[in-house]
Amino acid sequence: MIYGGFDTLVDEGDGGGDYADGYLVPVPEARKEDYRALAAKMAPVFRGYGATRVVEAWGDDLPDGKLTDFRRAVKAEDGENVVFSFVEWPDKATRDAGWAKMMEKDGPGGDMPFDGKRMFWGGFRPVVDLQAR
C-alpha cells in the first residue's frame, strides 16, 4: 500500500460519475507554479469534454515506504516532488470520447513542466462512492 498527503493545487467541478482517471507525475520543485498554471489552464478543457471534476494535488506528506512509495513510483529525483491528480467522468464512454477530442484539438505541446516519461496513469471504476447523486 502506498499512502500520502497532498496539498490541492486545482480543484474544479462538483464531481461524481462512474469513471475516473488517476495520474502520478514527478515535478521539479522549481516548476511548481508552472505546473499549477498548466493544471488551471487544462481543468476547464477537461470539463469542456465532459469531466465532472479535476483535482491536481502537490505532495505534502509522502512517507518513505519499505518497498515502494510515491517518490519511487515515479523515480523522483532530488529537487522533485510528486503530483497526484484525478479526473472524474460520468462514465467511461464520455471519458474515451473526451480524451480522443482533447488529444486531437488540445493535445500536449510546448514546454511541459515535468518529465512525461516518468508519469503514469490509469482508468478506474469506483468500488465505493459515498457521494449522493
Side-chain angles (χ1 to χ4, degrees), residues 6 14 36 58 63 66 88 91 93 95-96 99 103 119 132:
F6 292 82
D14 296 330
R36 191 211 56 76
W58 187 258
K66 291 183 180 181
E88 294 178 337
D91 51 53
R95 177 264 205 165
D96 290 348
W99 267 110
M103 290 282 85
M119 170 184 178

Side-chain angles (χ1 to χ4, degrees), residues 25-91:
V25 184
V27 179
E29 297 270 353
R31 306 264 341 243
K32 178 180 180 180
E33 181 53 31
D34 295 334
Y35 187 89
R36 191 211 56 76
L38 175 63
K41 175 184 164 189
M42 292 306 296
V45 174
F46 278 99
R47 299 282 317 269
Y49 290 118
T52 59
R53 185 176 182 202
V54 177
V55 175
E56 302 267 0
W58 187 258
D60 179 63
D61 180 14
L62 305 179
D64 293 334
K66 291 183 180 181
L67 297 177
T68 192
D69 53 47
F70 280 106
R71 284 186 178 83
R72 284 189 242 178
V74 295
K75 297 183 179 180
E77 299 171 356
D78 286 344
E80 290 184 328
N81 199 354
V82 179
V83 170
F84 170 70
S85 306
F86 63 92
V87 179
E88 294 178 337
W89 300 89
D91 51 53

